[in-house]
Amino acid sequence: QVQLVESGGGLVQAGGSLRLSCAASGRTFSSYTMGWFRQAPGKEREFVAAITWNGGNTYYADSVKGRFTISRDNGKNTVYLQMNSLKPEDTAVYYCAADPSIATMTVAVYYEYDYWGQGTQVTVSS
């Protein structure tokens, strides 16, 4: 069992930066693939980024590639999402997700993840 708690959301102007954190409980965190997803009002939950258990592979949605960076610190049981050059269209609730055995080809599929955090709001003003 893994519990996830996101933090770091807030209000920022377009072009600004935020760093989201996701703190995980459980001794097996280091073996989980971690993902970030987001959901804007009236829209479906969409993939943002994912990172494999040792950080060896990272994956990004085309919409955030080059602007967002996912990383993890297994010693701190934490995964991060550094968000730069933020745009108003990045406004959403951001969710952290974890899974112990997700296949590489499905890291962008939200229903493949077993564990979810409660979400943190990111609002980008124009």
Side-chain angles (χ1 to χ4, degrees):
Q1 189 80 5
V2 174
Q3 291 185 325
L4 306 173
V5 179
E6 302 97 333
S7 61
L11 173 64
V12 64
Q13 288 188 331
S17 299
L18 282 174
R19 188 176 81 155
L20 304 183
S21 298
C22 174
S25 64
R27 292 176 292 177
T28 57
F29 169 81
S30 60
S31 66
Y32 283 58
T33 291
M34 302 297 296
W36 285 98
F37 290 76
R38 65 187 182 186
Q39 189 165 18
K43 295 188 176 181
E44 291 189 354
R45 190 165 299 192
E46 66 171 353
F47 171 72
V48 176
I51 187 168
T52 52
W53 68 276
N54 62 352
N57 290 292
T58 57
Y59 309 87
Y60 296 95
D62 287 343
S63 59
V64 306
K65 204 170 293 184
R67 299 188 298 123
F68 291 10
T69 302
I70 189 171
S71 62
R72 67 190 296 163
D73 184 337
N74 286 343
K76 296 182 178 179
N77 279 14
T78 302
V79 63
Y80 305 98
L81 185 68
Q82 177 66 43
M83 305 186 295
N84 298 329
S85 302
L86 282 160
K87 305 175 181 180
E89 51 263 44
D90 294 318
T91 294
V93 177
Y94 283 70
Y95 297 91
C96 174
D99 195 271
S101 59
I102 196 167
T104 299
M105 65 179 66
T106 61
V107 294
V109 181
Y110 75 88
Y111 52 79
E112 292 289 334
Y113 287 81
D114 286 346
Y115 303 103
W116 289 86
Q118 83 290 347
T120 185
Q121 176 71 46
V122 172
T123 303
V124 185
S125 63
S126 57

